[in-house]
Amino acid sequence: MAKEALKIVDQRTDMEYEVPVHKGTIRARDLRQIKSGPDDFGLMTYDPSFMNTASCRSAITFADGERGILRYRGYPIEQLAEKCTFLEVAYLIVHGELPNEQQLKSWVNEITFHSMLHETTKKFLEGFRYDAHPMGMFISTVAALSTVHPEARDVHDPANRLRQIHRLIGKVPTIAAYTYRHSRGMPYVYPDSDLGYCENFMNMLWRLAEPKYHANPALSRALDILFILHADHEQNCSTNVMRAVGSSQTDPYLCVAAAAAALSGPLHGGANEEVVKLLDEIGSKDRVPAYIEQVKAGHGKLMGFGHRVYKHYDPRARIIRWAAEQVFATTGKNPKLEIALELERIALEDEYFIKRKLYPNVEFYSGIIYQALGFKPDMFTVLFAIPRTVGWLAQWKEMLEDPEQKTARPRQIYTGHAQRDVVPMEQRAGTTLAAER
Ligand code: CMC
């Protein structure tokens, strides 16, 4: 059998090195021994945006972008979406195994028990302007929880860590619902512990004067499925932030707030809001070809298309299309669906998109369903952040338990000036002007 090693010849010195290969990867640290001379720091790799760098070992999520596969802890996403509830999947992601009946019961109890917010947190939310973006309110309020639960700073105590995990999973829907009620000037609705995770969320969002809120089961199940699909996605931008911030032993509330901030960008979780804006801008099916031509000419991107990992159909997008049909059977069709289907049809036949392997991603259809469920576009990314909190926390826990992980601290290639001396102020203006000329 061939040796699992890489032979490197440094043509600067004619030296030869052997670097072990494990799971198709070499350790960047092994390159450090390769030096051009005794004063050389040693060879580094340069990889802006982590295009080809594994930053950790993880046993949580497996995504194969070429084959369109996504699995949590080994289970295909299709089976989890069909057979499990979101909280069952959350247990799986955090603990590594599907729960038995007893484990699920106590997990659900713990999360439900922690769904209430401290009254001061409610007051904190009241301080936002009526038109504040819900994602900004969500991020800030999650960060503010750090002041309510200062014991969370002890990140090395496993029992304490787990308590914060229960709290965060329990509280994020409450915060999300409160941001929604606040922006509409409606009184807050307290969590109802008789209800399931998604039903209770819908209760906190939409309950008016009725004594008990009853969610439409088809709609709450669709939301549950959307939450399952968004629960984790290995080392994406926000998860990388969660791990990086957590690596300095920051408490999990601040880590989740930081990760949610990364998620809010339009190229990541903010894409769902942008897709709906784009469909509105297109306006009708017959205007799709002209829009595609505009994108191909370099005027903007087709939001909801493309993925760093998936160079094939995003398996989540397929399930979302199915879930959309279930929702529309109850709510009636969202007229934007027709435009979205036409966009997908034309884009998938177009050389520009074929060549770049650009397929619809999870966000392409999610906004259309959220809208049919009654959400305004500014809530879409918050709806992504609720389930992704589970993935962030599982990744954070895994990182803290990994003895190889240290404070995240990349290297750089310095491109600035070599050493130079400070010029006194009276001589400076002239020198600057001369340099500019
Ligand atoms: N529309 C048009 N062209 C695109 C698109 C798009 N949506 N995405 C990528 N391209 C082009 C890009 O211009 C480039 O073309 P060229 O080679 O001629 O310069 C090529 O495809 C490669 O793109 P890239 O930006 O180098 O690829 P990336 O892996 O860095 O970007 C991405 C991945 C998701 C940021 C990008 O595809 C994108 O901006 N998509 C739109 C935003 C979006 O839908 N984001 C949600 C991602 S899924 C949810 C999540 O996990 O965040």
Side-chain angles (χ1 to χ4, degrees), residues 49 51 230 233 236-238 262-263 265-272 274-275 295-296 298 300-311 314 316 352-353 355-364 384 388:
S49 332
M51 295 296 283
H230 284 90
H233 206 248
N236 53 79
C237 176
S238 56
L263 184 77
L267 297 191
H268 192 8
N272 47 21
E274 300 301 319
V275 172
V295 169
K296 284 163 58 182
K301 279 184 168 177
L302 185 50
M303 301 308 279
F305 261 70
H307 200 277
R308 177 65 62 77
V309 173
Y310 294 119
K311 300 302 171 197
D314 181 337
R316 300 168 298 177
Y352 175 96
F353 293 88
K355 201 173 127 207
R356 291 170 179 78
K357 300 187 175 177
L358 299 170
Y359 289 85
N361 60 50
V362 67
E363 299 317 322
F364 191 63
F384 189 158
R388 184 53 62 84

Side-chain angles (χ1 to χ4, degrees), residues 15-258:
M15 295 270 288
E16 205 172 278
Y17 302 86
E18 200 173 276
V19 174
V21 175
H22 183 63
K23 287 194 180 260
T25 313
I26 60 162
R27 280 184 179 265
R29 278 292 293 260
D30 286 343
L31 301 177
R32 189 77 77 73
Q33 59 180 311
I34 305 176
K35 298 185 183 204
S36 57
D39 295 333
D40 186 4
F41 175 77
L43 200 65
M44 293 194 302
T45 55
Y46 174 57
D47 190 11
S49 332
F50 299 115
M51 295 296 283
N52 195 35
T53 293
S55 64
C56 63
R57 293 159 178 270
S58 180
I60 301 171
T61 292
F62 174 77
D64 181 331
E66 291 300 327
R67 292 188 291 157
I69 293 174
L70 174 62
R71 299 182 197 131
Y72 298 155
R73 303 283 189 184
Y75 295 104
I77 191 69
E78 294 80 5
Q79 288 184 29
L80 294 169
E82 189 191 334
K83 299 183 176 154
C84 299
T85 63
F86 170 66
L87 282 188
E88 234 177 307
V89 173
Y91 183 101
L92 169 74
I93 290 175
V94 170
H95 290 293
E97 294 297 337
L98 280 168
N100 62 29
E101 226 175 312
Q102 190 49 46
Q103 288 164 329
L104 182 63
K105 203 169 159 216
S106 65
W107 171 249
V108 171
N109 280 345
E110 287 292 353
I111 287 167
T112 309
F113 179 74
H114 287 293
S115 55
M116 192 83 87
L117 294 179
H118 195 281
E119 285 297 297
T120 56
T121 308
K122 209 180 86 181
K123 288 210 181 85
F124 177 86
L125 263 159
E126 279 164 11
F128 286 106
R129 283 175 60 119
Y130 70 97
D131 60 351
H133 194 286
M135 198 56 187
M137 290 193 265
F138 179 86
I139 294 164
S140 320
T141 311
V142 171
L145 288 184
S146 158
T147 64
V148 182
H149 306 292
E151 74 281 7
R153 264 180 252 163
D154 183 6
V155 298
H156 292 300
D157 172 5
N160 187 35
R161 268 204 309 259
L162 192 57
R163 196 168 323 114
Q164 313 315 321
I165 290 176
H166 292 146
R167 276 194 180 132
L168 268 156
I169 300 175
K171 289 184 200 309
V172 283
T174 316
I175 296 174
Y178 279 24
T179 67
Y180 174 81
R181 303 280 296 199
H182 177 77
S183 57
R184 272 141 196 89
M186 293 162 82
Y188 303 128
V189 174
Y190 286 91
D192 181 341
S193 51
D194 289 344
L195 303 177
Y197 195 77
C198 284
E199 288 169 312
N200 174 46
F201 178 45
M202 292 163 93
N203 160 61
M204 293 187 290
L205 287 163
W206 292 316
R207 188 171 146 207
L208 295 170
E210 65 270 42
K212 186 96 183 162
Y213 182 84
H214 295 287
N216 178 309
L219 301 188
S220 68
R221 178 63 186 143
L223 191 58
D224 205 64
I225 291 174
L226 284 165
F227 279 5
I228 292 172
L229 301 182
H230 284 90
D232 192 54
H233 206 248
E234 51 124 298
Q235 306 313 311
N236 53 79
C237 176
S238 56
T239 302
N240 182 52
V241 167
M242 183 80 193
R243 282 179 173 261
V245 178
S247 75
S248 69
Q249 300 177 7
T250 303
D251 81 53
Y253 300 99
L254 297 174
C255 295
V256 168

Side-chain angles (χ1 to χ4, degrees), residues 309-331:
V309 173
Y310 294 119
K311 300 302 171 197
H312 203 281
Y313 212 95
D314 181 337
R316 300 168 298 177
R318 196 169 280 127
I319 302 171
I320 288 198
R321 262 185 76 164
W322 174 84
E325 293 303 329
Q326 313 308 305
V327 170
F328 296 149
T330 306
T331 62

